[in-house]
Every structure is written in C-alpha cells, then in structure tokens.
Amino acid sequence: MAKLNIAPTKSNLLAMKEQLAISQNGYDLLEQKREILVQELMRMVDKVRMLEKDIDAAVKVAYPAFKRMLMADGSDQVKRIAHAIHYDFEMQEKNVTVGGMSFQTIDVHLPKKQLFYSMIGTYANTDDVISKFFDLLSLLTQMASIRTIVWRLAEEVKKTQRRVNALDKMVIPQTLETKEYIENALEEKERENVFVLKALKKRNSMK
C-alpha cells in the first residue's frame, strides 16, 4: 500500500495518529454494525423460509378446494361469483426498525371477509374456497413485506461490508504506513541534528 504524499513533519505525524485512531475506531464500529445486520438478516431469512412453508401448505389446500368448487358449481357460476366479489385493499409504506436501523416496507391491510353473492345457487364449499384463498392472500402480503426488509437489509450489509473492507485494506494500512514513514523520517532528522551538534561542539572545543 503506497503511503500518502505528505511532508514528514510533526504536525502531519499528529494528524496521521489522529486519522489512524479514527479509522480503527470506525472499523470496530462498522464491524459491530455488520455483525448485527447479518444476524438480523439471518433471522429475517428464517422468517421467509417459515412463511414459504406456510404458503406452500396454503396453496396445497386452496387450489384443490377451488377445483372441487368448479366441479360442484360449474365454471359459469364460478365466474359470476368471482365478478360479484370486490375487496378494497389498503396499501401503504411503513417504517420498520431492524438492527437499530429504519427501513421502509409495505403494509397491506386486508379487509374483513364479506358475502358478496347470494347463498341461492351456491354451495358450502364456495365459502370454504374464499376463506382459504383469503388466508393465502394474507400470507402472501406478509411475505411481500418481509422480503422488502430482507432486500434492504442485504443491501445495507453489502454497503457496510464495502466500508469495512475499505478501512481494513486501504485506509488503515495507508495511514499506518504514512505514520511510520514520518516517524522514521523525523527520527533520522533527529539523528542528523544530534550528529551536527556533536560536530559543532567538537569543532568549538578544538579552537
């Protein structure tokens, strides 16, 4: 790592020592932040995996129930029922604090289940199908919210890791090398000054 191109003076040495202390402290803080973010990311990933299992289970019961409804009611009746159903979903952004950091994610408010169709000409499995797909939709909205947080956490981990690497591989080694260079240069200059003083004293003593 090439040292900084600065003059070997005492003021620059003090500046390098201060810069080194700040960089090392910053490295420690960023490393702690990175570890916390990684832990939170792993925790959220575990939530995603659990939700994926719940979604798979919900799909396995919802779609077979829908097929049974098609067989019982017929496609024309299912279409009429589908056209009659209308829900308003409220979606908004919300701030979530994870690992001491604030992230924006999506919050979906599901409406209450309603009966939009006449009970005449429908079967009990109609309500069952709607209930199962409502449950599936609830899981999917949860997944969308958590995946947004996971994505933002992953981006923050990458950003923090780049800063940690920059300090560890570039800033700290360069600052340390510059500090050592200035210390060596000042020590050499001090030795030269001592040698000159001794030579002057010796010359004066011989007069």
Side-chain angles (χ1 to χ4, degrees), residues 93-169:
E93 289 187 346
K94 69 174 181 179
N95 290 324
V96 178
T97 301
V98 180
M101 301 192 66
S102 180
F103 297 95
Q104 279 195 332
T105 185
I106 301 171
D107 192 19
V108 181
H109 297 283
L110 296 179
K112 294 181 179 180
K113 299 175 185 177
Q114 300 179 49
L115 187 65
F116 291 94
Y117 49 86
S118 172
M119 296 185 65
I120 300 174
T122 60
Y123 299 88
N125 60 4
T126 303
D127 293 339
D128 183 52
V129 168
I130 292 175
S131 177
K132 284 181 169 56
F133 273 93
F134 217 91
D135 293 339
L136 176 58
L137 182 60
S138 176
L139 291 171
L140 290 173
T141 57
Q142 291 178 51
M143 177 65 82
S145 178
I146 291 179
R147 279 190 177 275
T148 302
I149 298 174
V150 168
W151 179 79
R152 296 187 186 280
L153 266 175
E155 287 297 313
E156 193 62 35
V157 168
K158 289 180 183 179
K159 188 189 300 182
T160 305
Q161 186 63 59
R162 285 195 296 267
R163 291 174 180 172
V164 168
N165 290 340
L167 285 171
D168 185 41
K169 305 298 182 184

Side-chain angles (χ1 to χ4, degrees), residues 12-65:
N12 282 337
L13 177 59
L14 290 174
M16 286 299 99
K17 286 181 178 180
E18 183 178 355
Q19 177 63 41
L20 184 60
I22 292 172
S23 298
Q24 290 173 334
N25 185 56
Y27 172 84
D28 292 338
L29 291 175
L30 283 173
E31 182 63 21
Q32 291 175 17
K33 175 184 175 181
R34 187 193 67 82
E35 290 177 358
I36 291 172
L37 290 175
V38 169
Q39 289 175 0
E40 291 296 333
L41 179 59
M42 293 299 101
R43 186 175 64 84
M44 298 302 292
V45 167
D46 287 339
K47 281 189 175 182
V48 168
R49 289 172 179 166
M50 292 176 63
L51 266 176
E52 285 176 343
K53 291 180 179 179
D54 291 341
I55 289 172
D56 288 341
V59 167
K60 288 179 180 178
V61 297
Y63 280 92

Side-chain angles (χ1 to χ4, degrees), residues 1-2 20 166-178:
M1 179 63 63
L20 184 60
L167 285 171
D168 185 41
K169 305 298 182 184
M170 295 179 60
V171 177
I172 291 177
Q174 188 177 56
T175 305
L176 183 60
E177 185 174 342
T178 304

